[in-house]
Amino acid sequence: IETLKNCARHAKSEDADKYAKATESMLNRMEKESDRSSVSIVKPSSVTYTNVIQALAARKSEAAAEKADELLKKMEAAFADGDESMRPTRDSYVGAIHAYGNSDSESKYLHANEVLQRMIK
């Protein structure tokens, strides 16, 4: 996922979209595998989610920013429920902020500020 994230961050717009979607697809497969078995070797962590959030920021769309924030909220909830491996990092929050900042949303600054407020809370 990290390799695809790096490709998304350094690619042209249409290619960035393709790589970002690939990171999402891999995360979805990891989540399904993790849900399928209690003895899963492939369990996504905050690192996995952060890489996908950062890849989504490269897509530069409102939908990608909303998905990045959704993933961040999922991390926050899992961590609040006691899953230490899902602790959001500074990079997790900054990735979501960048996703909003790069988006075409008219309210991107408002949403980015909401993420910032959750980060400093």
Side-chain angles (χ1 to χ4, degrees):
I1 288 180
E2 184 175 3
T3 300
L4 291 169
K5 172 208 66 171
N6 288 333
C7 290
R9 292 173 76 183
H10 300 289
K12 292 184 181 358
S13 183
E14 61 276 354
D15 289 335
D17 190 52
K18 176 179 68 174
Y19 290 121
K21 286 180 181 179
T23 64
E24 283 184 89
S25 176
M26 289 184 81
L27 175 60
N28 289 334
R29 288 174 42 201
M30 289 175 75
E31 288 174 332
K32 286 178 186 170
E33 179 62 28
S34 181
D35 291 343
R36 188 177 68 83
S37 171
S38 61
V39 190
S40 178
I41 302 170
V42 184
K43 181 182 182 300
S45 67
S46 66
V47 172
T48 311
Y49 279 84
T50 299
N51 280 321
V52 176
I53 289 168
Q54 291 173 335
L56 288 165
R59 288 183 59 195
K60 300 181 180 180
S61 72
E62 184 173 6
E66 289 171 353
K67 179 65 177 181
D69 197 17
E70 177 186 318
L71 291 175
L72 179 59
K73 288 176 180 175
K74 190 172 187 175
M75 291 172 65
E76 292 169 335
F79 178 68
D81 287 343
D83 186 348
E84 281 291 322
S85 74
M86 291 296 283
R87 177 191 298 266
T89 64
R90 179 190 68 85
D91 289 339
S92 308
Y93 287 100
V94 170
I97 291 168
H98 280 169
Y100 277 120
N102 290 339
S103 77
D104 52 4
S105 171
E106 290 183 14
S107 56
K108 62 185 176 183
Y109 300 112
L110 175 67
H111 292 302
N113 187 54
E114 289 169 359
V115 174
L116 177 63
Q117 295 308 309
R118 293 197 327 259
M119 181 174 87
I120 61 177
K121 181 166 55 158

